C-alpha cells in the first residue's frame, strides 16, 4: 500500500511539472455589465478548429479548482482542447471560490446563459465540434442547457457526478445541515417575488454552502424552489445529443448517481461509466479514468 501511495505521489508530481497552470490562457468576454473569464487550454499541435470540451464547475466553485484544472491537464495529454469557464455569479471578473460574505444575487439558471455565451464565443473563434462537460451542480446546469437551449455545433454531453434532486430529500438535507425548516424561507421568498420584489434581500439566511449570509429573494427561490429540472436524471432523456454520465462509487456529496442513471443508460444515446473508488472530486489518478471514459465515448461518436 505504501508503494502504491508513493507511486501515485510521484506520478502526480510529474503531472504537476508537465502541465502547469501557466500554460492555460485566460480569455474574457462581457455580459450584462460584468466581465466573465475562462481558462483555454490547447493540446500540443492542436487548434480550436479541432474541437473543444467546454467545462462547467460546481456550486460556488471556479475554473481553476482541483478537478477542473486536473481534467484540463489530463485532457491536454489526451489531445483534447478545453475551455473551463468561470461562472460569474454576479461578480465582475470573478476568480476563486465564492466569498460567503458577498451578497448572493446570482441564480441557478444564470449558468445556462453563460454556457450559451461561451458557446457563441467558440463559434466566433472558428472552433470545431464542441462537447459540453459539467461537474456536480455544473453537471445539472449543463444538462439543463443541453435539454432546452441551442445545441448546434455540440456533438456530445458529459456529466460528471451531476446534481440530483428530490423535494423531500432537499428539505431534509437543509434541515439537517442548518437546523432550520426550508419551507418558511421558501414561502417568504416566493411572496416577495410574486409582489415584484425579487431583488429584496433576505438577511441572516443559510444558503447553499454559506451560513448566515445575505441573499436576494429571487436567488433563494432559484436554488430551492421545487423544480424537476434540478434533477439531472429528469433532464437526461430530453437531451438529443449523446450523453455520458460518470459516477464514482465513493461519492458522498451526490450519492445515488449510478442508481438514478442506470435505468436511463439502457436507452440509445445514453451511457454510464462507474469508476470504482472515486469520490466526488475524482482526485488524483481518477482524472485519468475520467479522461479514458470520455475518450472512449467521444471516439464512438466519430
Amino acid at each position: 500500500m505504501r508503494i502504491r501511495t508513493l507511486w501515485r505521489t510521484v506520478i502526480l508530481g510529474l503531472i504537476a511539472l508537465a502541465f502547469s497552470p501557466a500554460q492555460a490562457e485566460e480569455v474574457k468576454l462581457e455580459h450584462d455589465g460584468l466581465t466573465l473569464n475562462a481558462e483555454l487550454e490547447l493540446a500540443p499541435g492542436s487548434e480550436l478548429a479541432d474541437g473543444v470540451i467546454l467545462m462547467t464547475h460546481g456550486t460556488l466553485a471556479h475554473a481553476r479548482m482541483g478537478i477542473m484544472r486536473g481534467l484540463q491537464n489530463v485532457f491536454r495529454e489526451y489531445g483534447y482542447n478545453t475551455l473551463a469557464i468561470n461562472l460569474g455569479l454576479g461578480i465582475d471578473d470573478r476568480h476563486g471560490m465564492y466569498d460567503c460574505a458577498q451578497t448572493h444575487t446570482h441564480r441557478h439558471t444564470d449558468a445556462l446563459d453563460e454556457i450559451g455565451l461561451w458557446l457563441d464565443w467558440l463559434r466566433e473563434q472558428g472552433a470545431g465540434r464542441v462537447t459540453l462537460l459539467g461537474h456536480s451542480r455544473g453537471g445539472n446546469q449543463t444538462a439543463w442547457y443541453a435539454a432546452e437551449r441551442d445545441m448546434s455545433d455540440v456533438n456530445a454531453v458529459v456529466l460528471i457526478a451531476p446534481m440530483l434532486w428530490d423535494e423531500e430529500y432537499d428539505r431534509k438535507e437543509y434541515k439537517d445541515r442548518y437546523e432550520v425548516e426550508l419551507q418558511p424561507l421558501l414561502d417568504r421568498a416566493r411572496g416577495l417575488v410574486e409582489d415584484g420584489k425579487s431583488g429584496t434581500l433576505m438577511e441572516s439566511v443559510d444558503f447553499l454552502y454559506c451560513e448566515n449570509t445575505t441573499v436576494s429573494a429571487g436567488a433563494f427561490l432559484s436554488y430551492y424552489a421545487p423544480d424537476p429540472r434540478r434533477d439531472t436524471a429528469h433532464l437526461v432523456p430530453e437531451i438529443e445529443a449523446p450523453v455520458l454520465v460518470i459516477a464514482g462509487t465513493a461519492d458522498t456529496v451526490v450519492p445515488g448517481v449510478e442508481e438514478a442513471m442506470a435505468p436511463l443508460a439502457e436507452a440509445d444515446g445514453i451511457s454510464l461509466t462507474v469508476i470504482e473508488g472515486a469520490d466526488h472530486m475524482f482526485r488524483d489518478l481518477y482524472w485519468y479514468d475520467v479522461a479514458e471514459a470520455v475518450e472512449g465515448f467521444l471516439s464512438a461518436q466519430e
Side-chain angles (χ1 to χ4, degrees):
M1 183 63 69
R2 289 183 177 178
I3 293 176
R4 182 181 179 187
T5 301
L6 178 61
W7 178 238
R8 289 168 67 92
T9 302
V10 170
I11 291 177
L12 289 169
L14 293 174
I15 291 172
L17 289 172
F19 306 112
S20 67
Q23 292 180 337
E25 173 190 357
E26 185 177 61
V27 292
K28 300 185 178 185
L29 56 79
E30 302 300 315
H31 173 58
D32 284 350
L34 297 178
T35 297
L36 304 178
N37 60 72
E39 298 286 309
L40 177 64
E41 182 81 68
L42 296 181
S46 185
E47 55 187 26
L48 278 177
D50 297 321
V52 62
I53 300 174
L54 194 162
M55 304 167 57
T56 302
H57 60 74
T59 305
L60 303 183
H62 59 99
R64 294 178 180 174
M65 67 182 297
I67 186 171
M68 293 288 105
R69 189 65 212 143
L71 285 177
Q72 280 197 289
N73 288 340
V74 176
F75 281 137
R76 179 178 183 271
E77 182 179 350
Y78 276 64
Y80 291 108
N81 301 321
T82 56
L83 180 71
I85 68 175
N86 224 17
L87 296 177
L89 302 181
I91 297 176
D92 187 54
D93 202 17
R94 190 180 72 87
H95 294 85
M97 295 295 292
Y98 193 95
D99 183 355
C100 286
Q102 292 270 2
T103 296
H104 299 264
T105 60
H106 53 90
R107 305 189 181 201
H108 178 78
T109 50
D110 289 345
L112 279 64
D113 294 335
E114 294 185 24
I115 290 170
L117 287 167
W118 285 111
L119 269 173
D120 287 342
W121 181 83
L122 286 170
R123 292 173 183 129
E124 292 169 1
Q125 307 308 308
R129 301 291 282 178
V130 177
T131 297
L132 296 183
L133 180 151
H135 171 247
S136 197
R137 181 178 296 275
N140 174 260
Q141 292 161 327
T142 296
W144 197 330
Y145 179 94
E148 296 187 355
R149 303 289 182 93
D150 179 14
M151 288 287 283
S152 57
D153 301 320
V154 177
N155 70 319
V157 177
V158 177
L159 309 174
I160 303 174
M163 185 180 83
L164 302 176
W165 176 84
D166 173 81
E167 184 173 1
E168 182 178 349
Y169 180 85
D170 205 33
R171 294 170 186 271
K172 182 179 183 302
E173 183 181 46
Y174 192 91
K175 178 66 177 297
D176 290 346
R177 178 188 290 268
Y178 295 119
E179 299 182 350
V180 174
E181 294 289 348
L182 177 60
Q183 189 60 48
L185 293 168
L186 271 176
D187 292 342
R188 178 183 169 197
R190 185 176 288 107
L192 288 167
V193 170
E194 290 175 351
D195 287 342
K197 301 177 181 178
S198 63
T200 298
L201 300 181
M202 300 166 60
E203 298 181 348
S204 301
V205 171
D206 300 315
F207 179 69
L208 300 176
Y209 297 145
C210 298
E211 297 181 4
N212 196 32
T213 190
T214 301
V215 55
S216 71
F220 192 90
L221 205 61
S222 172
Y223 282 93
Y224 287 107
D227 189 328
R229 292 173 295 182
R230 289 200 287 118
D231 179 21
T232 307
H234 171 83
L235 292 167
V236 166
E238 305 301 318
I239 300 173
E240 294 185 1
V243 177
L244 169 65
V245 179
I246 300 176
T249 61
D251 188 347
T252 59
V253 177
V254 184
V257 172
E258 179 182 1
E259 292 77 10
M261 298 296 175
L264 304 179
E266 297 176 3
D268 292 339
I270 302 174
S271 303
L272 172 65
T273 294
V274 179
I275 299 177
E276 190 69 32
D279 66 8
H280 190 63
M281 294 299 178
F282 293 81
R283 291 178 177 85
D284 304 338
L285 294 183
Y286 292 118
W287 296 332
Y288 277 96
D289 294 319
V290 170
E292 288 175 8
V294 171
E295 181 181 50
F297 170 67
L298 295 182
S299 296
Q301 313 310 320
E302 296 176 354

